[in-house]
Amino acid sequence: MDKTEKIVEITNLSKAYTQGHEQILVLEELDFSISKGEFISIVGPSGSGKSTFLNIVGLLDDVYSGEIRLFGRRLEDLGEAEKAVLRLKNIGFVFQFDSLLPEFTVLENIEMPARVLGGAAPGRGLELLKHFDLEVIAHKFPMEISGGEKQRAAMLRALRNGPALLIADEPTGNLDRHNSGVILDDLRRAADLGTAVLMVTHNEEAARRADRSLRMAGGRLETPK
Ligand SMILES: Nc1ncnc2c1ncn2[C@@H]1O[C@H](COP(=O)(O)OP(=O)(O)O)[C@@H](O)[C@H]1O
Ligand SMILES: [Mg+2]
């Protein structure tokens, strides 16, 4: 694995929200990069701009200033359609609260991103489930599995298309200690398989499991002393 290959490179990123007549600057001249297979955690107080940052990196928000390169390509050179494909193929998301579709089985949920791209192949989803020792829940529905299993299933769904980048916004925020540990093991494994993992967390232990831990403060990402 070429661990020097940059998956995301950001320079001078600023972002402000408009509230009434006021501009609230949330991100201010922030620089950041993450390489292939690297696991980075971000900590910081509530309201410091962590989710705002993840949404921009994940192409869910395109109102900002600064330069962003994803997979070596400048975002400003890409059209909306190209960005949509890039997001589907190369970026996986996991959020704090599980987002599995209740009327589909775990395997069907995991296959959903592939189906959207027109390439569903349940064998691949099953392989992922086996790889993470979860094949026993393949044919269960979300209401039949535990909170920890739901979160792990949502993570496998995010990994289904073999994304270069996995974005996780407080993925253990709703889990007990044991299940948080399992999710962190999974994220570590995903990184070791070559996915760049960018995780926001409130959990100090979670932050320590990453290759690099950054702190969001004053609109920037700092390396804690
Ligand atoms: N859509 C929005 N419109 C206006 N302000 C927002 C919006 N989203 C977030 N904010 C504000 O931006 C700041 C950063 O929010 P957020 O990125 O969600 O922080 P964090 O994820 O670190 O808790 C907060 O002050 C929040 O109130
Ligand atoms: Mg947040």
Side-chain angles (χ1 to χ4, degrees):
M1 191 194 315
D2 179 8
K3 283 212 162 190
T4 60
E5 185 188 326
K6 290 268 186 282
I7 298 298
V8 182
E9 279 181 283
I10 293 178
T11 42
N12 233 350
L13 173 66
S14 296
K15 161 87 186 177
Y17 287 112
T18 308
Q19 246 176 24
H21 296 292
E22 265 184 85
Q23 287 272 100
I24 300 167
L25 196 54
V26 178
L27 305 177
E28 193 172 1
E29 298 176 1
L30 174 158
D31 294 325
F32 171 81
S33 74
I34 184 169
S35 304
K36 187 172 166 64
E38 190 177 21
F39 183 3
I40 293 183
S41 71
I42 297 175
V43 296
S46 189
S48 59
K50 306 179 298 296
S51 294
T52 297
F53 175 67
L54 292 190
N55 290 343
I56 292 172
V57 176
L59 306 181
L60 299 174
D61 177 4
D62 61 4
V63 183
Y64 58 82
S65 67
E67 186 178 281
I68 302 184
R69 284 176 178 270
L70 271 189
F71 323 115
R73 306 187 62 188
R74 263 164 39 132
L75 284 193
E76 60 189 273
D77 296 338
L78 301 177
E80 282 313 309
E82 277 178 297
K83 278 196 251 183
V85 172
L86 204 65
R87 185 168 60 228
L88 270 169
K89 281 195 177 161
N90 294 313
I91 306 176
F93 294 92
V94 185
F95 300 101
Q96 176 172 357
F97 297 102
D98 95 81
S99 51
L100 299 176
L101 299 170
E103 65 273 34
F104 293 93
T105 65
V106 166
L107 181 57
E108 287 165 346
N109 267 285
I110 290 173
E111 284 301 306
M112 210 56 79
R115 212 199 275 191
V116 174
L117 280 178
R124 175 85 185 91
L126 260 183
E127 209 177 282
L128 262 181
L129 281 159
K130 280 191 185 139
H131 196 86
F132 286 81
D133 293 321
L134 279 175
E135 64 265 48
V136 290
I137 63 167
H139 303 292
K140 293 194 175 175
F141 287 88
M143 65 172 291
E144 300 171 326
I145 61 178
S146 72
E149 287 168 336
K150 280 186 207 165
Q151 192 62 326
R152 296 185 72 200
M155 201 204 54
L156 294 192
R157 181 182 56 188
L159 290 174
R160 171 57 179 82
N161 289 337
L165 175 65
L166 181 69
I167 292 177
D169 197 349
E170 305 195 29
T172 65
N174 207 26
L175 298 178
D176 61 29
R177 193 143 182 263
H178 169 73
N179 281 303
S180 297
V182 174
I183 284 283
L184 290 171
D185 287 342
D186 287 347
L187 291 171
R188 178 75 262 171
R189 202 177 324 185
D192 292 342
L193 291 171
T195 301
V197 177
L198 180 57
M199 172 184 72
V200 160
T201 184
H202 274 300
N203 180 330
E204 293 291 334
E205 188 182 329
R208 278 197 299 274
R209 298 278 288 279
D211 296 315
R212 216 152 42 99
S213 183
L214 301 172
R215 175 171 295 278
M216 181 70 84
R220 295 192 191 179
L221 287 169
E222 309 173 332
T223 308
K225 285 168 226 74

